[in-house]
Amino acid sequence: MLLREVVDCSAEVRSTRSRLAKTSAIAGLLGRAEPELVPTVASYLSGELPQGKIGVGYALLYGLDEPAAADPSLTVEHVDRVLTELKAISGAGSKQRRVDILTTLLGAATDAEQDFLRNLIIGELRQGASGGIMEEAVAQAAGVPVGLVRRAAMLNGDLAPVARAALSDGADGLSAFALEVFSPLQPMLAQSAESAAAALERTGPAAVEYKIDGARIQVHHQAGKTQVFSRNLRDVTSQVPNVGEVLAGLGIDSCILDGEAIAVGRSGRPEPFQESMSRFGRQSSGGPLAAYFFDCLHLNGTDLIDEPTPVRAQALAGALPGGLIAPRIETDSAQEATAFFEQAVADGFEGVMIKALDAPYEAGRRGAAWIKVKPVHTLDLVVLAVEWGSGRRQGWLSNLHLGARDPESESFVMLGKTFKGLTDDLLTWQTERFLELETHRDGRTVYVRPEQVVEIAFDGVQRSSRYPGGVALRFARVKGYRDDKDAADADTIETVRGFV
């Protein structure tokens, strides 16, 4: 299959907002692909490399200015082999070998193929093909119910092999995917709400749990052996050695548990998120990370992912001592849920998770059954620069460089970047606005006069050596532009540091 077919499909998907049109375009391409290429094509259209990270960064990739080929000739098979070769490179002279291989690859690609490959390799292929759309496209191409595809993808954690099984063997192929101890599955994700009361309006009666702000872990245990997997399904057993020790003495035959590893101070209060992450994977003077669990997906030979929240909670409570379980209540009272949220924050936790009582465990999905509620912080910051967008945001100035005011130097201190929270209307407006404020450019970055104030919502502030102010925002997103404020009214760097 020519790479051009994938590139054309990607462009078609990016050009429409119709879910049906996106699904139809992807299904058509998957249906034309040879069976052995289906996983690769599905990965590319999901914006992912089957090889994972291949050691090629933005500077290296965009530093190459190889003239494009006039006619398409690259095949998907060839590109996949080249990317696999790139990943295997190591040792002395590796950078030059990568340059040589990439130069040859880009030289054989047309303009459109070069853009596609660059965005794919650095993870910026934003084309509007969400996981849900990809699952629907696989189901349409294979002629099977989408529910079978979603369940297989949930259990496997990777849509690519599921796509191949569906197109090769239909429903029978999908039935082979099952929950297995030591085979990690994607974690269930949560939506957000501004308050506990607002979350309860969406869920109805719910479980309200302390939200643990650490490293997400999925623990698999069977026959005395324990493996721990991270949020992205990497084996991190050696990074949390105490977890296996804890489970070893509980008399559990087999289990799959969902939880968080977190640093806890001597007072019993959680340490800042950054402390948890810095200790994740190494022993330090602070000691090992503590584990809190909040869900049980399998226990002693019984799969529980299809059971409702209370059943899984009961299994968890029967298997683990209370000190290992995130505090929780069940309620339909907004007042009681709000009080529990306030207690969680007072105890040093990030907020609460509100979970519908009738919900199964939907691995890998951000459905409406789980809702996170955290205190909302905002800062008024100044835009220092903006990067041109890619994928669906091609042609718009998108990624904002954010700065806080430094009264002593009468300048602005960079805190980080964000492209989150931007609607199409805001993208259109800010592109025009920042081109008016432009001072100079450097590649894809447009530097601007520090005049525009933007209100930024964020979850927290952490120490960071990456930025000159020594701090960075966590999960920053645009709340709105403040045309009523001048740059002199922006928050100071000391105000930002006060959140650490």
Side-chain angles (χ1 to χ4, degrees), residues 40-384:
T40 304
V41 172
S43 293
Y44 287 3
L45 291 177
S46 299
E48 300 172 354
L49 293 179
Q51 296 83 359
K53 293 185 181 299
I54 61 172
V56 176
Y58 179 94
L60 173 59
L61 192 58
Y62 280 87
L64 302 176
D65 190 21
E66 187 68 14
D71 300 309
S73 62
L74 284 175
T75 65
V76 173
E77 300 98 315
H78 177 73
V79 171
D80 188 55
R81 285 196 300 270
V82 170
L83 297 180
T84 299
E85 183 181 355
L86 283 167
K87 183 179 178 67
I89 293 175
S90 63
S94 58
K95 180 178 179 180
Q96 187 57 52
R97 292 203 299 277
R98 289 191 180 98
V99 168
D100 293 341
I101 291 172
L102 282 169
T103 299
T104 301
L105 178 65
L106 294 175
T110 63
D111 280 327
E113 290 169 346
Q114 283 189 356
D115 288 342
F116 178 87
L117 288 170
R118 285 191 170 103
N119 288 326
L120 178 65
I121 289 171
I122 63 174
E124 291 190 357
L125 192 65
R126 301 185 183 97
Q127 55 198 354
S130 66
I133 289 175
M134 290 298 300
E135 290 167 352
E136 290 168 14
V138 170
Q140 182 175 315
V144 298
V146 69
L148 294 181
V149 175
R150 285 178 176 157
R151 182 172 179 80
M154 174 186 75
L155 295 172
N156 183 263
D158 185 355
L159 181 62
V162 170
R164 177 169 184 170
L167 271 79
S168 298
D169 302 309
D172 290 341
L174 294 175
S175 65
F177 293 94
L179 183 64
E180 296 181 12
V181 180
F182 303 125
S183 179
L185 61 161
Q186 296 284 352
M188 186 169 176
L189 304 175
Q191 297 182 7
S192 299
E194 293 185 355
S195 68
L200 273 184
E201 287 182 3
R202 289 152 61 180
T203 63
V208 186
E209 301 172 352
Y210 278 22
K211 187 178 188 307
I212 316 298
D213 191 22
R216 187 82 174 260
I217 55 173
Q218 186 179 120
V219 179
H220 292 236
H221 177 83
Q222 184 170 277
K225 175 186 175 183
T226 301
Q227 273 187 279
V228 184
F229 299 93
S230 68
R231 181 189 182 98
N232 59 6
L233 312 188
R234 291 189 302 109
D235 188 331
V236 292
T237 307
S238 62
Q239 297 176 226
V240 280
N242 55 308
V243 172
E245 296 170 4
V246 168
L247 293 181
L250 296 179
I252 298 173
D253 293 330
S254 64
C255 66
I256 300 177
L257 307 176
D258 196 0
E260 298 267 347
I262 185 173
V264 177
R266 294 180 179 177
S267 66
R269 291 175 62 87
E271 298 282 1
F273 172 79
Q274 188 178 18
E275 177 65 18
S276 293
M277 299 313 294
S278 68
R279 284 163 53 181
F280 190 54
R282 63 180 177 85
Q283 296 296 319
S284 69
S285 58
L289 297 176
Y292 283 94
F293 297 98
F294 48 77
D295 219 317
C296 182
L297 315 185
H298 170 95
L299 182 64
N300 295 335
T302 301
D303 293 342
L304 300 170
I305 57 173
D306 294 322
E307 298 293 342
T309 300
V311 172
R312 302 197 311 275
Q314 184 176 9
L316 187 67
L320 301 181
L324 294 178
I325 301 174
R328 72 189 298 274
I329 61 171
E330 291 184 6
T331 184
D332 60 359
S333 165
Q335 183 176 3
E336 189 174 7
T338 299
F340 196 73
F341 163 76
E342 292 171 350
Q343 185 61 54
V345 174
D347 288 344
F349 290 85
E350 190 181 25
V352 295
M353 296 290 297
I354 295 183
K355 302 178 178 180
L357 293 181
D358 59 354
Y361 190 94
E362 297 179 289
R365 300 188 64 81
R366 195 182 296 277
W370 284 16
I371 302 175
K372 55 188 174 184
V373 181
K374 298 183 288 186
V376 178
H377 308 295
T378 63
L379 288 167
D380 291 329
L381 303 174
V382 173
V383 179
L384 307 179

